[in-house]
Structure formats: C-alpha cells, structure tokens
Amino acid sequence: MRLTPFSTLSLLSIAVGLSLASTAQAARPPAPDLSNSEFQQCLDGLKNSSKFRGVDSFTFNNYRPSQSDPSVIQSLNYQPEFQKDVWDYLSSLVDTERVEDGIRAKRQWADTLRRIESRYGVKAEHVLGVWGVESNFGQTLGKKPLFESLATLSCFDRRQSYFQGEYANALKIVQNGDIAPSDMTGSWAGAFGQTQFMPSTFLELAVDFDGDGRRDLVNSVPDALASTANFLDKRGYRSGEPWGYEVKLPSGFWGASNRKDKKSISHWRNQGLTLANGSPLPSDLNSAGLLLPAGPDGPAFLVGKNFDTFYSYNASESYALAIAHLSDLITREDSSKTDFITAWPTDDPGIGRQESRAIQQALLNAGYDIGEVDGIIGDNTRTAIQQYQSSHGIFPADGRAGQKFYRAIIGNTAATGSSQYGNQYGQPANSRPLNPAPADRMGQLIQQQTSPKSTSNTYSVQPSPSPSSNTRYRRVTSPDGTVKLVRVDEGS
Ligand code: CA
C-alpha cells in the first residue's frame, strides 16, 4: 500500500521505473545537503502542531531523529528516464520462484487462510497474491528507519503536509503498542510490514487476527494476511468472483484498454471475445472492463471489481495484473509456465529473478561491478550490461536484461571459456531457457532479507570464485513463518 503518485515505491517492484542514462552517469539526483538546525526547528514546530495532537510528548521525543536522512529526498525526486516494458515488469515479479513460494505459503498457512476467507470473504489466493507481490511473502520488508524517513519528508521538499500526517500516524502506532519501535523500518516513503501499509492505512485497516491484542503486521503472518483481506474487503471486494481472466480478441477487434468501462459479460460475448483458450466466457463476473497492457497484439484481459481492489493497493494496472496472475498460478499450483497464453508483442521476452541473478553473477565473474547479486536489475546492473554490450559488439547497447542477453552472456561465460558470439544472438528468439542458471536460484550469492526481524535478517553470501563452487543454500521456512537460508553442502 503506497501513495498513488509514487509507483516506484514497491520494494519488489523497484525495478519498474528503472532508468539508464545513455552513459554510465546515474539518473538519480545527488543527495541534498539538508540543514540540521532547520530540521530540528521543523521538528520543534511539528511537535506542537495540530497534526501531532494525538502523539504524547514522551513518544515524540523518544523517537525524534537527531539527523535527517537526505537519501529519502533523493528517492522522492527520482525520475526514471526509461520505463520498463510491462513484460519485463511482470516476468521479474511473477516468476517460477515466487509461484513456488506462494504454493508453499498456501500449504503452510492453509488453516489461517481458510479462517480469513470465511471472515472477510476474500479468496486465499488473492490474499497470497498481494502478500507475494508486496513483500515476497514477508521476506522483503524494507530496512529504512521509518521515523527518520518520515521526519525528513515532513520537513523538506514536496508533500510535507502528507508526510507529516504519516509521521504522526507512525508515532501513534508505536504509542499504541502495536509494533515494536525497532520493527518500524520500511520503504523510503514509510510503507512497512508484510503488507507494506502506509501508517494511515495501518491505523484504518490493520487487524489483530492471532488474538494477542496487537496488530503486528511485521511479525505476525495471520495479522498481515487478515489485514490484507480486510483492505480488499473495504475497497469493494466481491466474494466468490474471480478477478477476471485472460481472453482472446476476435480477429480485427478494435477497442481501447479501459478497465473502468465495465460491461456485462454478454456484451463481451457478443463482441466475439472468448477465454484465451477459446472457451466461451463464463458467467461468474458481474461486469468487466477490457485491459490491454501492451495493446491489441499482446495478452488481453477482462477484469472485474476484484481487479480494481488489487489496483487500489498501488494504483498501477501492471501491479494489479501481477497480483492477479500470481494468484492464478498459485491456484493452479503450477510454477512451470508463468507466461500468459497470448505472447507479449516482443521477440525478446523478459526474465525472472533466477535468470537475473545468473546475469549478475556472470557480470561479476567477468569483472563488472554490479553491487550485490540480488536478482533485481537496478541501475548498477543496467550500466554494467550496457558496458558489456558495448564491449562485445551487442546492439542495441540498451542495458536491458531480456532473454536474448541472458542467453548471450551465459553462453559467453560458460565454463568452456570459448567465446562464440559476436554481435548476434544465436538462439531462437522465443525459446525459454532450458538449463537456466549457473548461479542457481537458491543462491551461490544472494542477499535476501529472510526474517521479519530487523536484526540478523540479512544473509549475505560471499561470491564464489566459479560456478563450480559446492556451496549451496536452501531456504527453510520455520513454523512461525520466518524463512532462513541454510547452507547445504553438496551431496548432502
Ligand atoms: Ca496480533
């Protein structure tokens, strides 16, 4: 849950608005030099302002930051130069790994999800879809200290009034005893916990579902899942309805993508639309709008009210489609095919995190500084890809990590050491990688936030010198829902 104007806030979807300057220069503005005396004066003023009336002075003073955090102002003003294509966005977010994690979570939390479904009327897989996209099933919560971020945003640059309200609300959450102060970390803009609620959304919609008297969306999976269901319910979710479905347009169909222009299913039948597999449209949607994320030549969808409730979580249709698609794949319990039935209109489809990590590892092995291998194609990785493309005669040198680049670099850096590729890619454009990654998804080198606790939650695994290293890690989910990386020696 985030502020609508900032679609790049999501921890998991920070790659949406990636930018890449034409050279290696960063698109990110420099961190501003913020005056601390101005900051402290501002906080003095806030303390006595009407917005902070419900915050007692002990709480205000106790969590009052001694310094501002200029990096959040940098994030506030971050302007991506290039938007990511929708297929890149979806393939990085809805990949085999996340579907498998979702299926596992569905089994682990089956009883809780059943009780949530009967209480709020929200389908288990829809709750799981949100959880998976928002926080990778509780594994990625964000590490920025909330009070510092929100206090800084309250005193500098744009939207101060909005952030002052969120700052006050964050203090109230701690004052109420719902969340431990040390757990108040999150995204730069203040979204936190397994549901990534903003503090105002927390106060409005968080629920205590495990019955301990606290609404703990950081550490309690039942609280987080029930709060998500409550959010969807309060935003108009219709029990028993699907979110929508992938459809096939009749040949020659001309129509605009307009999710909000809802029509009856019989209307769409009369227009010649069918399910993507050619079956007639079912009658289980009250009304639906047409969604064409990549125009009439790509996958097409009819979406109903429940899709709109996903949309209200983050005000982005691609984001809502990721939730919808992930929930379908978790329902089907099939992680082998994460594509839609209709292909995206590109000859170079996107890749998942597994392939992204393999690219990052290959770049590291080739001597490029990409930072950490995290499966997120950020500015550093894109710059390195662009440099690699330039020095290997790959055109266009656009820094994009798609399937073609994946096959090229993996082929080029394979253990044989022979380099066979010049300025063309050899493999068929639409083939999926069969044997994807020398750096396997459990990570020869991954950095992952693995537990909701803010301490000791980062397992940073050192890069192995070659793909033949025998160090492997597997993820183990403990009964309380935390996930850990456990080293597994080869052969065991
Ligand atoms: Ca609780």
Side-chain angles (χ1 to χ4, degrees), residues 112-123:
T112 302
L113 288 163
R114 246 191 314 275
R115 288 189 294 121
I116 286 171
E117 196 163 342
S118 70
R119 168 88 169 268
Y120 298 98
V122 178
K123 181 178 151 118

Side-chain angles (χ1 to χ4, degrees), residues 207-216 220 223:
V207 296
D208 168 31
F209 202 68
D210 62 13
D212 71 348
R214 298 168 59 224
R215 302 181 288 173
D216 188 350
S220 166
D223 286 6

